[in-house]
């Protein structure tokens, strides 16, 4: 028993070729939709965050951590940044929100985060606009 070979191009595409083409089209559409969705969320994450900050330096003591923050924001935007400190074993020993109401677009400020035990870190958890 041998298989029958059809003449090339005489009977159109085989069902397998049609299915492959359909799968390629569906895959391309789904890939484009996924890229558009990722782009949408990235734009709104970056563009929507009107306050950003960075911990420049920190100094620890027995009951507090002094943190030097550099805050970048749009002019006239007010908001706050949340900082926390952890002990050597990883437990949280201090957390506080610090407001930034200045009109300047760049604010350098040293803030004091009070702790319940000696803190070893100063971590910026995030900034939020009002």
């Amino acid at each position: 028993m041998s298989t029958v070979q059809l003449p090339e191009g005489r009977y159109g595409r085989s069902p397998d070729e049609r299915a492959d083409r359909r799968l390629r089209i569906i895959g391309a559409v789904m890939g484009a939709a996924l890229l558009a969705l990722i782009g949408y969320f990235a734009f709104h994450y970056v563009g929507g965050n009107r306050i950003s900050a960075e911990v420049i330096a920190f100094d620890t003591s027995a009951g507090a951590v002094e943190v030097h923050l550099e805050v970048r924001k749009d002019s006239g935007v007010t908001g706050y940044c949340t900082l926390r400190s952890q002990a050597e074993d990883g437990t949280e020993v201090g957390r506080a929100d610090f407001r930034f109401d200045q009109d300047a677009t760049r604010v350098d400020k040293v803030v004091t985060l009070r702790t319940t035990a000696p803190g070893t870190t100063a971590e910026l958890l995030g900034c939020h606009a009002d």
Side-chain angles (χ1 to χ4, degrees), residues 11-22:
Y11 298 105
R13 290 189 176 141
S14 73
D16 287 342
E17 289 174 344
R18 277 188 238 119
D20 287 347
R21 182 169 186 252
R22 184 175 294 145

Side-chain angles (χ1 to χ4, degrees), residues 24-40:
R24 272 191 241 128
I25 290 171
I26 290 171
V29 168
M30 297 283 284
L34 180 65
L35 283 176
L37 188 66
I38 290 171
Y40 174 79

